[in-house]
Amino acid sequence: MFSRRHSRNATLAFRLHMTGVSLGNSRDQLNKKLQERIKSMRGIKMGIAAAALAFAATSAQAADITIKFSHVVAENTPKGKMANKFAELVHERLGDRVEVEVYPNSQLFGDNKVLEAMALGDVQLAAPSLSKFGKYTSKLQVFDLPFLFKDMKAVEKFQQGPKGQELLHSMEDKGFIGLGYLHNGMKQLSASQPLIEPADADGLKFRIMSSDVLAAQFEAVQAVPLKKPFSEVFTLLQTKAIDGQENTWSNIYSKKFFEVQDHITESNHGVLDYLVVTSADFWNGLPDDVRPVVKKSLDEAIAYGNKISMEKAEADKKAIAESGRTTIHELTDEQRAAWVESMKPVWKQFEGDIGKDLIDAAVASNG
Ligand code: SIN
């Protein structure tokens, strides 16, 4: 865990010990004890002690904003680096008032649990893949449509355009606020055998994120999609419980999928990006002088993550190629066209759920 924790609790306990108040379990208990103590004080001496106690209580409250940021990937990825940068910036700007605790590698919550945990207040910030919000909105599934975006520039254009910005608010009725998009990159296909023609995927089991669109994408080439958490992918591949998966270069590299997959096809068939999300209760409850500073820090951390995502994709692809552990296949235009033709009917299948307006806007971003 990356943390800027200072011994604030110990300091507070010491202060209270010096004033004869023991540290209770909750702030309510603490405040109650403080008030009782203040009430029982008499005279000037007691006035000074009361002021000290009030100061201690104020400091305790101000220092008590903790933002737990939970994610599932390694620290050496665009998301891992962005999260750590955010923690650093918040610490620089807000000191002990706000502490960001970053939990990478599914240490705190896996992808299937993090949004439930957020609704319960157990985590304040997360950046799940856009494919993992299907339970809360069907709109974000636009990002899963195969061969929709021609490259990351088109993805960025769509995300920053009016429709993309509208989508940040698509789950407010469920209590979640989208604070920004973070890039990872384009997805590649990996398998235990070469995937050159769509027919090569026939009958193979692929791990997918929890998205019905991704399920339909693999069904379109007669493959068998299995929705599984990210934390299980390596073991599923290693034990050959599944034959393949789709992911970005940085995830394939940092989680060592390339060591247990003999073949990777550079298909660039879809995008894997993130929505940085928080709960409306938490966000709206932040003090008015804190919220803009947290948002500014987040925007800067996202810009940093987005900047390095392209460089990481290139560097990690190169490292995988140089490892000699797997074969990377490039597709000819004709081979790629065959995958497009097989998978593109999925757009029509989900047009009703996603909305034609969103699909059209995404297509327009390729221009
Ligand atoms: C992530 O990048 O957050 C995980 C992607 C996946 O589940 O494949």
Side-chain angles (χ1 to χ4, degrees), residues 2-66:
F2 178 95
S3 168
R4 294 274 180 195
R5 183 172 290 284
H6 297 274
S7 53
R8 293 195 307 254
N9 287 346
T11 310
L12 175 61
F14 176 75
R15 273 189 207 147
L16 296 174
H17 173 74
M18 294 307 284
T19 50
V21 177
S22 66
L23 188 59
N25 285 339
S26 72
R27 190 180 305 136
D28 285 353
Q29 280 173 312
L30 181 62
N31 282 336
K32 211 166 145 211
K33 282 182 184 176
L34 287 169
Q35 273 159 19
E36 281 163 11
R37 191 81 191 160
I38 289 166
K39 260 194 215 156
S40 73
M41 292 175 176
R42 297 279 182 275
I44 295 171
K45 251 187 181 175
M46 288 178 283
I48 293 166
L53 282 170
F55 175 76
T58 311
S59 317
Q61 283 183 348
D64 204 23
I65 300 172
T66 300

Side-chain angles (χ1 to χ4, degrees), residues 253 258-259 317-326:
Y253 181 65
F258 70 100
E259 294 186 2
K317 177 185 157 189
K318 189 162 175 277
I320 292 169
E322 286 171 2
S323 75
R325 300 288 292 263
T326 187

Side-chain angles (χ1 to χ4, degrees), residues 182-183 301-312:
L182 173 69
H183 297 321
I302 288 175
Y304 164 76
N306 285 347
K307 185 172 164 293
I308 60 172
S309 64
M310 298 290 274
E311 296 153 19
K312 277 225 56 69

Side-chain angles (χ1 to χ4, degrees), residues 75-142:
E75 287 184 284
N76 187 26
T77 56
K79 182 159 59 180
K81 284 174 171 275
M82 168 269 177
N84 290 350
K85 167 69 89 187
F86 169 64
E88 267 170 46
L89 291 174
V90 168
H91 180 69
E92 260 168 48
R93 291 164 186 176
L94 290 163
D96 285 351
R97 287 191 74 192
V98 178
E99 176 168 22
V100 177
E101 295 177 354
V102 180
Y103 297 87
N105 293 310
S106 311
Q107 272 169 18
L108 193 60
F109 294 107
D111 13 62
N112 299 339
K113 289 276 168 266
V114 75
L115 293 172
E116 286 164 32
M118 186 172 280
L120 293 171
D122 292 336
V123 63
Q124 288 69 41
L125 212 60
S129 146
L130 292 160
S131 313
K132 294 178 182 169
F133 290 92
K135 227 164 120 181
Y136 303 96
T137 173
S138 53
K139 302 279 169 204
L140 288 172
Q141 294 188 109
V142 66

